[in-house]
Amino acid sequence: MHITTAQVEGNIYDGPHQISTSNFNKVSGVYLVVDSNGKIVDVGETEDLSERIPNHDRTACWNNNGGYFLWFHHEGNLLQRRSKEKQVRLKFNPACGIR
């Protein structure tokens, strides 16, 4: 994958970042976990990406569904993060997370 930005539901995400080898910064926003075909496996929001991803409770689900890449949209506002997460979850119905 050589793409560096993608637009999902009107928001720009940067990536792909390999989950297993990336060190993530302490930033807040919405993240997408995708497989090698670009299918969204999970979506979530976080205040601190550097803490959330390495300690994520759905890592096994990501691995089982081929979710090895992360895309990230910076968003500081909690209500906006939750809204954007919900919008993506409803449209793409990812295999991992709240259903």
Side-chain angles (χ1 to χ4, degrees):
M1 298 174 95
H2 295 32
I3 301 168
T4 58
T5 63
Q7 187 168 348
V8 178
E9 293 300 291
N11 298 295
I12 301 297
Y13 287 78
D14 67 289
H17 306 279
Q18 232 177 341
I19 293 172
S20 63
T21 60
S22 295
N23 291 319
F24 297 102
N25 294 327
K26 183 177 181 174
V27 293
S28 57
V30 180
Y31 58 88
L32 307 174
V33 177
V34 301
D35 67 14
S36 60
N37 296 314
K39 181 179 177 185
I40 297 172
V41 172
D42 198 6
V43 58
E45 66 84 16
T46 184
E47 180 71 26
D48 182 355
L49 190 65
S50 69
E51 287 291 324
R52 181 67 174 139
I53 299 305
N55 303 303
H56 210 290
D57 56 323
R58 294 192 298 266
T59 302
C61 185
W62 299 348
N63 292 336
N64 290 337
N65 288 279
Y68 301 113
F69 300 100
L70 184 131
W71 291 78
F72 190 73
H73 170 73
H74 296 270
E75 176 60 63
N77 181 285
L78 175 61
L79 295 178
Q80 287 294 319
R81 289 196 310 266
R82 288 181 178 168
S83 175
K84 291 172 183 185
E85 174 191 14
K86 182 178 179 181
Q87 186 178 25
V88 172
R89 189 171 299 286
L90 288 173
K91 181 167 184 173
F92 294 96
N93 193 27
C96 302
I98 302 167
R99 301 186 66 72

